Amino acid sequence: MGIMIRKQKEFFGLTGIAKLSIISLIVSLASSFVITIWALYMDSFIHSIVYVGFFSALLTFISVTSFFLLIPIIEKTNKSKLYVFSLFLFGITYLIFSFNISIYLFAILAIITAIIGTVRMTSFGIMVKDKSPKTKLSRNEGLVYTFANLSFVIGPLIAGFIASKYGLGKVFLFASVFIFLSILIFKISGIKDANIKKKADTNIMKNFFDFFKNKQRVTAYMLGGGVNLWWVLIYLFMPLYIIRNELDKIWIGYFLFAVAVPLIFLGYFFSKLAGKIGFRKIFKIGFLIPCLLAFACFFINSVYIILALLVIASIGLSMLEATTEAYFFDITKDKEEQRFYGPYNTTIELNNLIGKLIPSIFLIFLPFKFVFLLFSFFMFIMFLISHKVKNIVEDGK
């Protein structure tokens, strides 16, 4: 018995970042299950691409508001305990989604997940920052994102198979199991983060205006959001596009699997590279690639070629996912990270809102191919903004 305990301690002698990466892998696996079929699940209640987009936009608006409203809670609460609590609520919610529920219960639970998702994201991000030396931040962010993206390689395949054979409800059941497993592993790992501010910043309007006073923080905000803007196309509109083109649900799994592959093999490399040569060039190339490939999709009729081009576009996204967040932390003072990391994450939800709302309006009047043109334009704007970043070199070895 003593030998087993000693081996367990040796195993969990991993660094805090390594432990968080493993936990991120399991949580992201559950998330990848849900994201793969989320648009289809909403469509099963709403039965319209346009209204799916509008309801998703409403959930996004709720998330944006929550990031600012919950700043005092984030600042004054133990981050590790807050993270576990948010995971527990997700596990329960996914379990309920696995049953045949009414549209009203679905709407209530969807709103709850939109709120607790902000808590989970903020508490985890702060823990990663707190466990990272300044000179290795971009590398560590790259490691965490690589593990998370590994889940998005295998997760969509599993979710697509389960949804095709057993229905959408079983996907949520599997997701719930992995969420509860992640809670168990997190507790065993012994990760603690009691980084608590004695005096919380409770003035919401002051927090808002102070955040946007800093020009580089605004630039980081816009670029970080640009990454998530692209994922709206991939994870919301493309599954519906695949189904509307009369492909089997399993093709959603194939596509989302392939999209995540470049992130796995290239994300960590580009994160280390950004730490050595600076962020500006990485950002510029990273946004230009999806800009050009989405533009090409507008002129192509073959669904298979379009899917292939969007998979290749993920090479650009592998240059951006971890580096945009690392850049935000590099330009933010340590004493301000808890106050501003939550508001920074509103860029995810705000750009999700833009990415859902504007294309949904387009689809009322125009064919689907104009969505590709719109996202190409979005990425071009981000390419232009990339020229304004400070070329910070962390020089992490």
Side-chain angles (χ1 to χ4, degrees), residues 156-222:
L157 285 178
I158 298 171
F161 174 78
I162 294 172
S164 181
K165 295 294 183 181
Y166 306 106
L168 302 179
K170 291 296 188 293
V171 177
F172 284 105
L173 182 61
F174 269 79
S176 178
V177 169
F178 277 90
I179 288 291
F180 287 120
L181 176 63
S182 69
I183 293 174
L184 176 63
I185 294 176
F186 186 88
K187 298 295 286 186
I188 294 174
S189 72
I191 294 174
K192 304 291 183 184
D193 192 330
N195 184 0
I196 299 171
K197 288 185 69 174
K198 294 181 179 179
K199 185 178 180 181
D201 297 285
T202 56
N203 190 323
I204 296 173
M205 294 307 298
K206 187 175 188 301
N207 291 333
F208 178 85
F209 287 113
D210 284 353
F211 180 90
F212 289 104
K213 278 181 182 178
N214 185 294
K215 291 182 179 179
Q216 280 303 311
R217 204 153 48 222
V218 172
T219 300
Y221 184 87
M222 297 176 74

Side-chain angles (χ1 to χ4, degrees), residues 25-39:
L25 172 70
I26 300 169
V27 173
S28 296
L29 190 58
S31 297
S32 70
F33 291 165
V34 173
I35 289 173
T36 300
I37 54 93
W38 182 242

Side-chain angles (χ1 to χ4, degrees), residues 17-61:
I17 289 297
K19 294 176 185 177
L20 288 172
S21 296
I22 293 170
I23 292 161
S24 176
L25 172 70
I26 300 169
V27 173
S28 296
L29 190 58
S31 297
S32 70
F33 291 165
V34 173
I35 289 173
T36 300
I37 54 93
W38 182 242
L40 300 183
Y41 187 66
M42 287 191 291
D43 196 40
S44 70
F45 291 97
I46 301 171
H47 308 296
S48 166
I49 294 180
V50 173
Y51 288 115
V52 166
F54 283 136
F55 183 71
S56 296
L58 172 63
L59 296 178
T60 300
F61 174 77

